[in-house]
Amino acid sequence: KPLEQPTKPEEPQFPGSNNQDKAPETPKTEEKQPIGSKLGVAEWLRFMGWSTNPFIFNIVPSLFVGYKTQAERIMMSLEEKHKFILILGPTGSGKTTILRWLSGRLKPFDVLYIAKPPQRAEEFVEIFNQKYSLPWYMFWNRKAYSLYQVPDFLNKKLKSRHLVIMVDEAHEASLDVLEWLRVLNDQIINLTVVLSGLPVFEDHLRNNLETFV
């Protein structure tokens, strides 16, 4: 025979007492979980009432201040369509910020920002194909398939427009990549290449690629 669940015994009735007059029990409230115990990142941000982590370093070009003279000189060089522009500065000096700031103010130009130079020059083929890609249904969309086709590909895509290629962390670029950029710049009429790197990058160019300086 299955066991029956025991029933709760009835409270005893005393003369002159009324159980209805008994004070209601205070509802138990759950205590908030302390910060850092078992909270994940998302739960911790919600607990603090934050939408994002305020302790992460972000580059906000709209807050760019200082370097007014340098920014004006770079902007003038871009408007004059110089072939090469070199931006040098130590780590944290604002090189990336000024590149992003410039990108938002070159509306008449095509701007291609490269956060890190590719390891091989051949990778530029895919970079330019992505830059000037068309919808998939335009099957006649012409692509470049090798470095030798890139100059003709860009000249046809640009026509009368001017392209500005910004290469950040350029001091990490190999000599082959830098030499190919120099050759490409000679073959594209409407092209400016902006190289941004550490101060040692200038000596690197002078000692290894005299055609740059």
Side-chain angles (χ1 to χ4, degrees), residues 194-207:
V194 181
L195 299 175
S196 174
L198 297 177
V200 295
F201 184 52
E202 185 176 12
D203 292 334
H204 178 66
L205 292 177
R206 182 176 288 107
N207 296 332

Side-chain angles (χ1 to χ4, degrees), residues 26-42:
T26 305
K28 295 182 179 180
T29 57
E30 296 183 359
E31 296 182 358
K32 287 188 176 181
Q33 205 166 9
I35 299 176
S37 57
K38 295 181 180 179
L39 295 180
V41 175

Side-chain angles (χ1 to χ4, degrees), residues 83-84 112 114 117-129 132 144-155 163 165 167 173-188 191-193 195 201 205 208-209 211-212:
K83 298 298 285 180
F84 277 102
L112 174 60
I114 302 175
Q119 295 181 353
R120 300 181 301 110
E122 288 77 11
E123 296 178 39
F124 278 105
V125 176
E126 184 59 26
I127 291 174
F128 289 125
N129 281 331
Y132 293 104
Y145 295 96
S146 69
L147 289 178
Y148 300 103
Q149 296 178 344
V150 169
D152 183 60
F153 170 80
L154 289 179
N155 280 323
L163 173 62
I165 301 176
V167 183
S174 65
L175 292 178
D176 291 339
V177 168
L178 294 172
E179 178 63 23
W180 185 82
L181 283 173
R182 185 197 65 78
V183 173
L184 178 69
N185 209 349
D186 290 340
Q187 300 179 19
I188 305 296
L191 176 61
T192 296
V193 176
L195 299 175
F201 184 52
L205 292 177
N208 298 283
L209 292 169
T211 52
F212 264 91

